[in-house]
Amino acid sequence: MPTMRRRVQLTALAALGLMMTVAAPGGAGVQPAPTGVSTTIEVVADGLNAPRGLVYDPDLRRVLVAEAGVVAENTGPCGFAERGLPFCLGHSGSIFEYSEAGAPARRIVTGLPSTALQIPGTSVVIGLHDVTLLEGRLTVAFGTLGNEPYRQSLGAGAALLGQIATVGGSGKLKPIADILTFIDQRYAPDHFEANPYGVITGSYGAAVANAGGPGPDRG
């Protein structure tokens, strides 16, 4: 099933192909790209809360965006992530929907776990990082930026951080893969973070991009 990300990539490649100059026969220099090619950017949604990955749903003609959350709404419990960075938990993550069919833009899932860096002047938010779609089923990825002791320090409300989950029709999430625990056990005792950042689903199951890993002395 095509996704918005694939469409954006293909569009970018097509535009690049039109814009590139080509060598003239005999190496006599370069020729300019064809004239009359232009790009129009239209803002269809703004005010999103730390938007991350997105996916296009061709059946319902909508774009779904993973929103990590809002710094000001993440007030605790708190803990220390990788490199001792202080983060506090909240539930400001969400999934935003923009409809091409004319329906009002809205958040279809709210109250998702999110953490915010507690350093004045920063706006770092870790939470819902990606969303993907397969045969009508949504699958999402939650970042962590820490290890298992850090997640536990944030309390039971942080359980979804570092996990891959499916989203039911009522917006209820079901964890299907605990990437944090897997990485933690694999690289113990030197593991210092896991941070699932992207997910894509197919007949093979789910493939996850994890931006974290073992400690620096483990490579």
Side-chain angles (χ1 to χ4, degrees):
M1 177 176 294
T3 66
M4 176 63 79
R5 278 173 289 185
R6 294 194 182 99
R7 291 187 176 191
V8 171
Q9 291 169 352
L10 291 174
T11 301
L13 289 172
L16 181 62
L18 290 173
M19 294 170 59
M20 288 180 61
T21 56
V22 296
V30 296
Q31 297 177 347
T35 59
V37 177
S38 63
T39 300
T40 300
I41 298 177
E42 177 186 1
V43 177
V44 297
D46 58 12
L48 276 67
N49 300 330
R52 297 291 193 263
L54 56 79
V55 66
Y56 180 65
D57 181 352
D59 294 330
L60 299 180
R61 297 179 57 201
R62 59 179 181 166
V63 179
L64 301 175
V65 184
E67 295 182 292
V70 181
V71 173
E73 295 182 18
N74 292 0
T75 58
C78 302
F80 296 96
E82 68 149 354
R83 308 185 195 285
L85 295 172
F87 278 81
C88 290
L89 179 72
H91 291 85
S92 59
S94 53
I95 299 177
F96 180 88
E97 175 189 78
Y98 165 73
S99 173
E100 289 185 328
R106 62 191 181 118
R107 291 183 171 91
I108 60 173
V109 180
T110 59
L112 302 179
S114 174
T115 60
L117 181 60
Q118 301 301 302
I119 295 179
T122 64
S123 57
V124 177
V125 184
I126 304 294
L128 188 65
H129 279 171
D130 201 12
V131 56
T132 187
L133 184 67
L134 178 66
E135 297 179 350
R137 170 174 288 186
L138 288 173
T139 301
V140 297
F142 287 92
T144 321
L145 203 65
N147 55 17
E148 181 61 33
Y150 161 66
R151 182 169 66 179
Q152 291 178 354
S153 73
L154 299 177
L160 280 172
L161 297 180
Q163 297 213 52
I164 308 302
T166 57
V167 183
S170 61
K172 185 176 181 179
L173 275 70
K174 177 183 178 181
I176 59 172
D178 190 340
I179 306 301
L180 173 58
T181 295
F182 173 78
I183 297 295
D184 217 53
Q185 293 175 349
R186 180 177 178 85
Y187 293 110
D190 299 325
H191 172 240
F192 69 95
E193 75 152 308
N195 197 25
Y197 204 81
V199 62
I200 188 169
T201 50
S203 58
Y204 46 81
V208 181
N210 175 45
D217 59 331
R218 294 288 294 272

